[in-house]
Amino acid sequence: MSRPTESIHGQWASRWTFILAATGSAVGLGNIWKFPYIAGENGGGAFVLVYLLCIAVIGLPLMMAEIMIGRRGRQNPVNTLRTLAKEENKSSSWAAAGWIAIVAGFIILSYYSVIAGQAMAYVFRSFANVFEGVTAEGAHHIYLSLTHDPERLLAWHTVFMVLTMVVVARGVKSGIEKFVKFVMPALFAILLLLVGYAANTGVYFSEGVHFLFTPDFSKLTTNSVLVAMGHAFFTLSLAMGAIMVYGAYLSKNTSIFKVSMWIAIADTTVALLAGLAIFPLVFANELTPSMGPGLIFETLPIAFGHMAGGALFGGLFFLLLVFAAWSSAISIIEPLISWLVENKKISRRRASVTAGFGIWLLGLLTVFSFNIGENWLLFGKTMFELLDYITANIMLPLGGLLTAIFAGWIMSKNNSTDELGIRVPLFNSLWRILIRYITPLGIIIVFLSVIGILG
Ligand code: PFF
């Protein structure tokens, strides 16, 4: 089977639009609530150092591999892997790795959309000044009034899915590209505004900086290293076919190394800025950085409710979260859309409606996990927790491992070198060592630890 020279879905106008789109994919819920919290809890600056190392050693080589594979195959992940495997005279069952990515994306978007829907509800609550003077109990009550109401949660989930499908249905050029050109600068502007707002808290800003950046190696455990590795993976949107399919729309004469560097730097910067925006507010209100969605939906509203301009800045904060989740959501669904269009020969619009409806339907399990289905447990987990566990801890590491093996061992050195186009031989060898040995080893360690065999 010969390789197509261009994707049927179009091509990014420039490498900058690709960088914007891929950064849009990378910057998501993972950067804005998860990173600041895990960094703080795992030794601040020491953790940040380890995390940067993980981005460089595991994240960057894998991202380069995904873009390289995507651009060489120029199709959806399933067809791309099948075509490239044939080119190397290897088994076409490598296409199965593409399927893992597509199915993982399908499941992840089903719950990502429900959480993003909660953020949308909070945009309106915040602008309407609902949090003014709120107590911890009050904030908890407001959160429960949303999550315990299946109809409301369902309505917001539906709105978010429709918004996602509207962008994807319009295609790569007039949908995704136009969207990220508008949303990404807005996202950065809001983030900077929020950091400026936090900087006005004076001493608490220094406390936030201290919390996030002062290396405390005594808090760094083996587990924190594993957390850093796992997060490096998720935050760069790897192993879900998202970056691979975006790579399929990238021009041949773009340096894969340079664009990958830009994406990794932008993603890390956003995560650090999010920490600088959040922690000073938490400390200024004598709150403690609590875990998970609680920090965003219960602790922060208390801070906004007690600060000057809190309604406005709180609303902007949740808008930032919605933008970040939205630009990630369109990339999670794109591999499936491109598969439907290429293999089922249906229009993009029909593909979007079909895929969107399927994901929306699966999302009902997550919607009900917060209320009427709270007690529908399987292996001691709610449906939402189970879907999250299976995808994040099993499917993503597996998909990532297969991608690394494919790029490092299945593709010939000539073909990968040709596609990557790294001119310095030393860098090329370095990438090959990382992708063949270090990246797979890192993933295996994370995988064994999350399933409880190690650590
Ligand atoms: N990188 C996103 C985040 O940090 O929230 C999550 C994500 C988006 C993962 C898209 C995978 C993906 F394909």
Side-chain angles (χ1 to χ4, degrees), residues 40-55:
E41 284 303 291
N42 289 282
F47 177 84
V48 173
L49 284 180
V50 176
Y51 167 77
L52 290 179
L53 197 72
C54 291
I55 292 275

Side-chain angles (χ1 to χ4, degrees), residues 55-225:
I55 292 275
V57 171
I58 297 185
L60 202 59
L62 200 57
M63 174 170 276
M64 289 171 66
E66 276 208 29
I67 301 174
M68 185 259 289
I69 293 172
R71 188 169 72 176
R72 198 162 179 86
R74 295 242 183 254
Q75 301 154 82
N76 67 76
V78 175
N79 294 16
T80 282
L81 286 167
R82 185 179 297 125
T83 308
L84 297 193
K86 279 193 181 156
E87 186 184 44
E88 307 288 352
N89 290 321
K90 297 279 163 42
S91 159
S92 57
S93 26
W94 275 99
W99 272 116
I100 296 179
I102 289 184
V103 174
F106 191 91
I107 302 175
I108 288 179
L109 189 51
S110 80
Y111 62 77
Y112 208 81
S113 164
V114 178
I115 307 294
Q118 295 179 3
M120 289 179 88
Y122 268 58
V123 172
F124 292 93
R125 285 163 187 229
S126 205
F127 280 135
N129 211 6
V130 169
F131 303 123
E132 195 180 12
V134 78
T135 58
E137 224 173 285
H140 184 59
H141 182 76
I142 292 173
Y143 183 60
L144 289 187
S145 73
L146 172 67
T147 54
H148 275 182
D149 183 343
E151 279 176 32
R152 277 198 210 182
L153 217 48
L154 183 60
W156 285 115
H157 164 54
T158 310
V159 173
F160 186 80
M161 276 313 299
V162 169
L163 287 179
T164 303
M165 297 340 288
V166 164
V167 177
V168 184
R170 299 175 71 92
V172 176
K173 302 284 290 179
S174 22
I176 306 177
E177 187 166 299
K178 272 204 184 136
F179 173 78
V180 295
K181 271 189 183 159
F182 156 74
V183 146
M184 294 312 288
L187 189 149
F188 275 103
I190 296 177
L191 189 58
L192 289 178
L193 206 66
L194 289 170
V195 175
Y197 179 64
N200 270 330
T201 57
V203 58
Y204 299 109
F205 188 67
S206 328
E207 211 180 313
V209 172
H210 176 76
F211 182 65
L212 202 57
F213 292 110
T214 308
D216 180 353
F217 287 97
S218 68
K219 278 198 196 156
L220 202 62
T221 59
T222 331
N223 191 52
S224 7
V225 178

Side-chain angles (χ1 to χ4, degrees), residues 22-34 66 101 105 108 112 231-243 267 324-325 327-333 335 396:
T23 304
S25 171
V27 171
L29 300 174
N31 302 59
I32 298 175
W33 69 259
K34 195 166 177 203
E66 276 208 29
I108 288 179
Y112 208 81
H231 190 64
F233 218 103
F234 183 78
T235 192
L236 291 180
S237 301
L238 300 172
M240 248 194 259
I243 298 295
D267 184 71
S327 56
S328 293
I330 56 177
S331 75
I332 305 179
I333 187 77
L396 293 192

Side-chain angles (χ1 to χ4, degrees), residues 412-447:
S412 68
K413 191 174 175 192
N414 271 349
N415 286 345
S416 62
T417 307
D418 167 56
E419 194 63 47
L420 273 181
I422 306 178
R423 288 200 204 97
V424 187
L426 178 69
F427 284 1
N428 211 12
S429 313
L430 193 62
W431 175 80
R432 267 185 82 71
I433 292 172
L434 289 172
I435 205 75
R436 282 164 75 95
Y437 304 102
I438 312 294
T439 311
L441 199 69
I443 297 172
I444 289 172
I445 293 173
V446 175
F447 184 62

